[in-house]
Structure formats: structure tokens, C-alpha cells
Amino acid sequence: MRQITVIEHLLLHQKENPLATGNFTRLLTELILAAKIISRAVNKAGLMDVLGETGEINVQGEQVQKLDEFANRVIIHRLQRSGVLCAMASEENADIIEIPEKYSKGKYFLVFDPLDGSSNIDANVSIGTIFSIYKQEKDTDYPTLGELLQKGSQQVAAGYFLYGSSTMLVYSTGQGVHGFTLDPSVGEFLLSHPNIMIPKKGKIYSVNEGYFPFWDDKTKQVIASFKDVSAGKSTYSLRYIGSLVADFHRTLLYGGIFMYPKDCRDPKKPRGKLRLLYEANPMAFLVEQAGGMAVDGEQRILDILPEELHQRVPLFIGSATEVKKVLDIYKS
Ligand SMILES: O=P(O)(O)OC[C@H]1O[C@](O)(COP(=O)(O)O)[C@@H](O)[C@@H]1O
Ligand SMILES: [Mg+2]
Ligand SMILES: [Mg+2]
């Protein structure tokens, strides 16, 4: 089989794609380089000083791991010099990240979760980097937060790097979902999974069932429906890694559903844990491109207009059959 790189694939196989321009390919090239640097650190984590916590608490109120901070620094460092971004937003930074005056600017917003699945880092379990790209609509040098807070349906591209038993890039520019595997011997991501489509129905449900006592009655009904084996009902297996990027990747390839519902423990946090901008929107963009669905229980994730940078949202994502089942139960 001919070996096809990410940029080659974008230019050759998506010719009619308006994103096949110098600026977008530059952005993708820098992102890929940042991911290779992060992947190298992940692979050598036990040999480098990147395991454990930094001792700091981030804007999400969570412990910052050394690898979270490293990945965040690598992405900001590389991408602010790319000349094609007008601003960035990271799960680890409280505010929008402006491009310093000394670098030239462009028209894209990059929104990212530098290291997803932080609690799994020290156990050598799959983790990843999630990204989402939007266009700046107005022609100003200083984009406002309001300009960045676009609906997920306005993403021009989204994807993730998965640092698993192999390192992969899975992404979409709105023309299908394509997967590339890093060949460490040549240092390139090469096409391995063209045109990924999620099965219409799956056999796996994925959720942290330890939180069962903290769910409302409807949510309990939703999860119970995947355990219901009465006459004629399908049986499901339960799989939960605790890294969205890895749980989503399995769901995309095998089908089924991943869920992170709202939690009633804290009435001030009725929206679950996952972040709309950094986690739910990019995965929702990918799953729809692959023929699946993503909802918050009532509405399509990509239709939600964000009110703030670090907004959280309940997430039900996967094969159409299972996601529709969730919608039906919440509606009933
Ligand atoms: O431990 P919990 O509550 O099940 O949460 C797991 C979820 O939290 C996350 O780790 C949150 O992401 P970060 O690691 O980027 O903060 C997701 O990857 C995962 O789906
Ligand atoms: Mg995350
Ligand atoms: Mg993270």
C-alpha cells in the first residue's frame, strides 16, 4: 500500500476542500509536530521527569499533572509562532490565549485539551490531545471572547491524537473522518483508517457507574436500559477507561455509546464534568461525520451556543441506535 501522509491526504484526496490552503496545512503541520513531541514524552515518561503532579490546581479546580503542563506549553509555544492563528483557548488556561505582538496573526482559532485522561498518566493507560478549529468571522486584529464562543456546528476541523499502544491522529475537516498512525521509524503519521464510519448499533456502553447514586431518575433509567436483558433486548458489555479520547476511539470503531451524565451531588454543577469546547464539541463533530450522534440528553451538542470558555455539558455520544434510545428516555 502507498504510504500517505496527513498533508498529502488533505491535498490529494480532499481537493475540493476549501481548507486545503497554505494556512490550514501550516496549522495542521505545527499541531502534528507538537503531538509528536508530546508523544515522545509520553512514551519515555518513566525515564523523564514528567510523571506526577505539579502541585498546582488549574482553572477547572483539578490537580495539574506535569504532563498536562508540558503538553500545554508545547502546543502554545509551537502554535503561537505559526502565523495562522488569531487566538487560542486551552482547558488549562483561565482566559483566551492571545498571540503575542511579535508574531504575525492569522484567521483561525485553536481550542484544545492538551492532555486528556490525566488521571491515567502515571498508570501508562491511553491518553490523548483533543483539538478543535474555528474561523474568525470578523476582520480584527484583536478577537474577542465572544467571537471564539461559536456553536460546535461552526467548527471547520476537529480531531484528536491518541497516545495508546500506537500513536494515532483521527481528524475531520468536514469531509469524513480519517485515521493516521504514527510510524516512529519514519516519524510520520501515515493513513491507516480512511473514511471511518461508526456502526449504526453497538454492543458496548461506557459510563462511570460509580456515580450511579448521584444521577437523577431519568439518567438512572437510561443506564438501566443498557442492562435490560428482558425478552428480545440486546445484551451490552460495559467498558470504561476514564480517558475520553480512548473511550471515544473505541466507540467510534466498535460502535455503542459513551456517556458522562450530569451529577446531582452539587446543584451548582448540574452539567456533568466534560467541557463543551475542549471535549464534547470536537468529538461531536467527528461522530456526526462518521454517521453517529452526540446529544446532551435533550439537544444536539453541536447546536449549543457556549456562554463561557470552560462550560461543562452532559454528553451521550456514539451509534445512532443507542443515542436515540437515550433521547427517547429523557423525552418520555
Ligand atoms: O474519573 P471520571 O469522573 O470518570 O472522569 C473521566 C473523564 O475525565 C477526563 O479525564 C477529563 O479530562 P482531563 O483529563 O482532560 O481533565 C476525561 O478524559 C474522562 O472521560
Ligand atoms: Mg479532557
Ligand atoms: Mg486535560
Side-chain angles (χ1 to χ4, degrees):
M1 192 178 92
R2 205 168 88 72
Q3 320 262 283
I4 301 173
T5 65
V6 182
I7 301 301
E8 211 180 346
H9 180 263
L10 177 70
L11 299 179
L12 288 176
H13 292 258
Q14 304 185 54
K15 266 191 208 126
E16 59 297 342
N17 192 334
L19 290 183
T21 65
N23 281 354
F24 185 76
T25 55
R26 170 116 183 93
L27 168 47
L28 206 52
T29 306
E30 283 300 338
L31 208 48
I32 287 170
L33 180 51
K36 285 181 194 166
I37 295 169
I38 298 166
S39 173
R40 188 185 55 185
V42 170
N43 287 328
K44 293 187 177 170
L47 304 172
M48 294 165 69
D49 184 25
V50 289
L51 290 181
E53 295 165 352
T54 60
E56 282 171 24
I57 303 288
N58 70 7
V59 56
Q60 318 282 344
E62 296 160 353
Q63 283 283 353
V64 179
Q65 306 287 321
K66 289 183 187 167
L67 213 49
D68 280 325
E69 195 187 72
F70 175 80
N72 199 37
R73 265 193 289 123
V74 170
I75 296 173
I76 295 173
H77 177 86
R78 292 233 58 90
L79 273 298
Q80 70 183 0
R81 290 164 169 76
S82 67
V84 297
L85 293 184
C86 55
M88 291 181 261
S90 163
E91 185 195 81
E92 296 296 329
N93 292 54
D95 301 312
I96 190 166
I97 305 164
E98 290 173 358
I99 306 299
E101 278 302 320
K102 57 184 170 181
Y103 304 123
S104 47
K105 290 187 189 158
K107 289 282 159 216
Y108 290 108
F109 285 112
L110 174 68
V111 176
F112 60 98
D113 176 354
L115 223 283
D116 176 67
S118 303
S119 66
N120 281 318
I121 295 173
D122 290 2
N124 198 6
V125 174
S126 298
I127 49 181
T129 296
I130 309 174
F131 63 91
S132 169
I133 299 167
Y134 296 83
K135 266 220 126 157
Q136 186 191 16
E137 299 296 340
K138 290 191 194 149
D139 197 15
T140 53
D141 268 355
Y142 299 96
T144 60
L145 177 59
E147 282 179 73
L148 189 149
L149 295 178
Q150 301 179 25
K151 287 183 184 172
S153 54
Q154 287 177 264
Q155 289 171 100
V156 295
Y160 56 83
F161 294 92
L162 173 63
Y163 314 115
S165 44
S166 58
T167 295
M168 284 192 72
L169 162 64
V170 175
Y171 94 117
S172 175
T173 56
Q175 299 197 354
V177 180
H178 309 286
F180 300 80
T181 301
L182 180 62
D183 182 339
S185 59
V186 291
E188 285 284 0
F189 284 93
L190 300 173
L191 184 65
S192 52
H193 297 64
N195 297 311
I196 300 173
M197 292 300 287
I198 187 168
K200 288 204 164 41
K201 182 178 178 345
K203 292 185 169 172
I204 298 173
Y205 76 102
S206 182
V207 68
N208 187 339
E209 285 215 38
Y211 300 144
F212 194 85
F214 310 116
W215 293 331
D216 61 21
D217 287 347
K218 279 275 160 113
T219 308
K220 285 180 178 169
Q221 265 182 51
V222 164
I223 280 66
S225 76
F226 293 108
K227 297 161 166 310
D228 181 1
V229 290
S230 57
K233 301 266 171 62
S234 322
T235 52
Y236 285 89
S237 290
L238 168 62
R239 298 274 186 277
Y240 190 75
I241 297 167
S243 291
L244 171 67
V245 79
D247 279 313
F248 177 79
H249 188 67
R250 181 201 56 246
T251 306
L252 186 65
L253 296 185
Y254 296 175
I257 187 164
F258 170 86
M259 300 173 276
Y260 206 113
K262 59 189 174 195
D263 182 329
C264 307
R265 252 178 310 190
D266 182 350
K268 280 184 273 160
K269 284 187 193 160
R271 288 168 151 170
K273 175 182 184 186
L274 299 177
R275 274 90 0 169
L276 176 60
L277 269 81
Y278 316 106
E279 292 164 322
N281 271 340
M283 297 318 201
F285 184 80
L286 290 171
V287 87
E288 287 201 4
Q289 282 292 317
M293 293 173 69
V295 301
D296 70 354
E298 277 147 29
Q299 61 172 327
R300 183 180 175 229
I301 292 288
L302 296 181
D303 284 341
I304 301 173
L305 182 65
E307 288 157 18
E308 48 176 340
L309 218 41
H310 299 287
Q311 184 168 327
R312 294 174 195 255
V313 70
L315 180 64
F316 301 86
I317 188 165
S319 298
T321 307
E322 281 76 22
V323 177
K324 279 184 191 152
K325 192 170 176 171
V326 171
L327 283 173
D328 287 346
I329 294 174
Y330 275 109
K331 229 185 276 161
S332 64

